[in-house]
Amino acid sequence: MDYSTMTSGDVVSQRTHTLDTEAVSRYVEAVGDESGNRLDVAGPELAPPMAVAALSLTGVVNDLAIPGGTVHAGQELEFKRSVAVGETLACRATLEHNSVRGEWRFMVVRLEVDDSRGRRVMEGKSTIMLPG
Amino acid sequence: MHFANLREGDALPEIVKAVSQEQIERYATASGDHNPIHVDREFASGSQFGGTIAHGMLIAASISEMMSVAFEANWATGGRLKIRFKAPVYSGETVTAFGRIKKIETHAEICTVQCAVGVRKANGEAAVSGDATVVFPVE
């Protein structure tokens, strides 16, 4: 992928994912986060908010085809609405900044996640450093 | 931690995690991020890190867990996180997520709690540092 041609505003990933029981279980097992079980709410089981963040980054990692050695330098997240297990989420990633400093390419990618009713559940920004 | 009892300067409940290569590989599967710096020992040993490192978001998850424990559902509905990844966490290391309340403001029945948060390694080195804010209605 020729990253030098990418400019601010380019949509780098747009995917729909269902955060089903299996996906949440895989995430919870991987990070050992059981705080979702502590949410004292009536109704459906809720996913850990960072599972939504991880899901939103799946498209960035794969659709940007980031090379080995890429470093995650910073992350901003804003959780706006809890997400029930089984919810289908629309994840969109847009390039906000792209520059080269020394041996590294710095990219800032804006993340937006909406639920199946079009309500924003999370947004944020990832700063990544690509080698070469 | 009961919200009515929150005070500036209060420490948040720490979360301690041992990070294994198996856990890193499970996270790679769960997140779809199979960057070889995380899962390929040979590639990683020749990188600037000299070995496999955990995904930043795997380490950051411990901060989110801490905030969920401290602020319950309010974190999922009104949480904001801004962090920098300061140092890599290698497989086999143990990390601790920590935080402290910096400021509490209540306005128009909305409470905003600002916290300094981070993750430190067993040797005290900062792996992650930043700020977390929770906004929730006052009951």
Side-chain angles (χ1 to χ4, degrees):
Chain A
M1 183 171 286
D2 185 359
Y3 300 108
S4 66
T5 62
M6 302 181 71
T7 59
S8 177
D10 286 355
V11 175
V12 298
S13 176
Q14 195 152 13
R15 292 183 177 213
T16 300
H17 299 274
T18 298
L19 198 52
D20 58 18
T21 301
E22 190 180 332
V24 172
S25 296
R26 273 199 306 267
Y27 177 84
V28 168
E29 186 185 359
V31 303
D33 181 351
E34 297 180 351
S35 57
N37 297 334
R38 297 187 176 96
L39 300 180
D40 184 20
V41 294
E45 183 185 356
L46 300 178
M50 287 293 265
V52 178
L55 198 66
S56 72
L57 282 165
T58 301
V60 176
V61 168
N62 292 288
D63 296 340
L64 258 183
I66 61 171
T70 296
V71 175
H72 195 168
Q75 185 65 53
E76 295 178 33
L77 295 168
E78 185 170 354
F79 304 116
K80 294 177 169 292
R81 185 178 287 274
S82 55
V83 174
V85 174
E87 178 64 88
T88 296
L89 301 172
C91 304
R92 179 184 170 99
T94 308
L95 188 63
E96 200 166 279
H97 176 84
N98 184 12
S99 67
V100 174
R101 273 180 265 165
E103 301 292 312
W104 295 93
R105 175 174 297 280
F106 287 75
M107 299 181 109
V108 178
V109 179
R110 177 171 175 75
L111 310 170
E112 296 167 310
V113 181
D114 296 337
D115 67 14
S116 56
R117 296 167 67 180
R119 301 175 301 188
R120 181 63 42 89
V121 297
M122 192 212 83
E123 58 191 31
K125 288 181 188 178
S126 299
T127 302
I128 54 176
M129 297 164 53
L130 290 71
Chain B
M1 180 178 289
H2 193 276
F3 304 142
N5 298 328
L6 293 177
R7 297 288 181 272
E8 292 178 2
D10 282 355
L12 302 177
E14 293 187 346
I15 301 286
V16 179
K17 300 280 184 186
V19 181
S20 67
Q21 186 59 37
E22 183 185 4
Q23 187 185 12
I24 292 170
E25 287 167 14
R26 280 202 299 262
Y27 188 84
T29 300
S31 67
D33 181 352
H34 298 277
N35 185 327
I37 201 71
H38 306 304
V39 297
D40 185 332
R41 291 173 196 268
E42 190 176 337
F43 176 91
S45 67
S47 73
Q48 72 270 36
F49 299 115
T52 54
I53 62 171
H55 303 72
M57 292 295 277
L58 168 56
I59 303 305
S62 59
I63 296 177
S64 182
E65 182 175 354
M66 173 180 70
M67 296 302 289
S68 288
V69 170
F71 296 98
E72 301 174 354
N74 297 302
W75 176 242
T77 56
R80 291 196 293 261
L81 183 65
K82 184 175 184 178
I83 51 174
R84 303 296 294 179
F85 298 103
K86 311 285 282 187
V89 174
Y90 294 88
S91 59
E93 290 197 286
T94 296
V95 295
T96 302
F98 63 93
R100 186 168 296 278
I101 296 174
K102 291 197 300 186
K103 194 171 187 179
I104 302 173
E105 289 180 306
T106 302
H107 179 68
E109 299 188 338
I110 298 294
C111 184
T112 302
V113 182
Q114 298 176 30
C115 308
V117 297
V119 178
R120 65 173 177 267
K121 306 211 278 187
N123 64 5
E125 184 181 13
V128 181
S129 67
D131 295 290
T133 302
V134 189
V135 180
F136 54 91
V138 178
E139 292 179 0

